[in-house]
Amino acid sequence: YRLNPVLRTRILSNNGVVEQIIEDYRPQDIEVLEFETKNDVHNYANKNAQIPFDMDGSLCFLKIFVSKDFCGVAYKLHHIISDGWTLSLIASHFDSLIHKKDVTAYSYTDHISAEDKYIQSSRYEKDKAFFLKQFEKCPEPTLLSDKNVADLSGRRRSYTLPKEQVDAIKEFTESNNYSVSSLFLSALSIYFNKAKDNAEKFYIGIPYLNRVGNVEKNTAGLFINTTPTLIELDNNASLSENIKSVEDSVFSTMRHQKFDFEDIIHELNSTYKFNGKLH
């Protein structure tokens, strides 16, 4: 809590006006839980992961757990103040503190100040121009499904590939100078192409880390930005050519990942009266 002020974030509502504040640091006790087995820890964690945060209270849940054979820390953060990188960063901080190592950490309030400067900068205007130009190439987004979803629960299927397939994928990407992520994104794009009557241009929302420097990478908080990336396939081109096209699209968009998705929608609405979905 001392190193990462964002963990002290509170959401307040005053006469209909919602405010976000960061409370001053104060020492506090952390509850210690005892478990018999690691499976008991996992069951406890899974159960608590399903419990929503009280938006009037703390947005950070933190407990210490111990047994005769192991110990650790259980924590969860509201997505308003955290992304996946933050979870890993805090675990790294705990490890450093336990081993009495120096910890490098910065305040999220500095990032907010930097964002205010970015919005007033020429870079912001260049990023905006990039997405407006992208939209001109594909002004009618193609949706895989236009159903309205009422249930926001996450659904995920996990698959474990045999080592032989993993080795084959690595060998293929290395020999052709592709990244593994580009290969899988290309596979998804080709599926989209076939599912939507050979559509060659469409957007795929890709989450970008949005941490380009050492300061950002050592700051706990929400940085990740899901950005509509324009995929341009060619049904007459080879697989290699289409993978290269997908990879180029990702790299181009990555240079503008700082531009917030909500700002993209706002600018498209303002310039082209667009009020639909991009991905």
Side-chain angles (χ1 to χ4, degrees), residues 214-265:
N214 182 64
V215 173
E216 291 89 349
K217 290 179 180 178
N218 285 284
T219 303
L222 179 62
F223 284 79
I224 195 168
N225 187 28
T226 301
T227 302
T229 300
L230 177 60
I231 303 298
E232 298 180 88
L233 300 181
D234 184 346
N235 290 321
N236 297 315
S238 66
L239 174 62
S240 295
E241 289 172 324
N242 278 314
I243 294 177
K244 182 64 167 58
S245 174
V246 169
E247 195 166 59
D248 288 344
S249 295
V250 171
F251 286 150
S252 294
T253 307
M254 191 180 296
R255 288 193 287 269
H256 305 277
Q257 62 183 283
K258 195 174 181 66
F259 201 76
D260 188 74
F261 178 75
E262 294 300 324
D263 286 350
I264 295 174
I265 298 300

Side-chain angles (χ1 to χ4, degrees), residues 126-195:
K126 291 179 181 179
D127 291 343
K128 178 173 70 175
F130 170 81
F131 288 106
L132 291 176
K133 186 175 181 180
Q134 291 290 89
F135 186 77
E136 291 174 359
K137 296 180 182 179
C138 184
E140 296 183 3
T142 302
L143 303 178
L144 192 59
S145 174
D146 55 5
K147 294 180 180 179
N148 291 322
V149 179
D151 183 8
L152 299 179
S153 300
R155 294 181 177 87
R156 174 184 299 176
R157 291 185 180 180
S158 299
Y159 300 91
T160 301
L161 297 179
K163 184 178 185 302
E164 295 76 12
Q165 290 188 13
V166 174
D167 291 340
I169 291 172
K170 288 182 178 179
E171 181 180 353
F172 175 79
T173 54
E174 290 174 0
S175 61
N176 289 280
N177 198 29
Y178 306 136
S179 67
V180 173
S181 61
S182 294
L183 176 64
F184 279 94
L185 180 58
S186 297
L188 174 62
S189 300
I190 292 170
Y191 166 75
F192 197 107
N193 168 271
K194 300 305 180 184

Side-chain angles (χ1 to χ4, degrees), residues 24-51:
D24 293 336
Y25 169 73
R26 57 180 178 78
Q28 55 185 290
D29 296 328
I30 299 177
E31 184 180 3
V32 178
L33 307 174
E34 295 185 5
F35 295 97
E36 290 293 329
T37 68
K38 289 185 178 180
N39 188 54
D40 292 335
V41 176
H42 291 308
N43 289 336
Y44 172 81
N46 290 333
K47 179 181 178 180
N48 277 274
Q50 307 303 316
I51 302 175

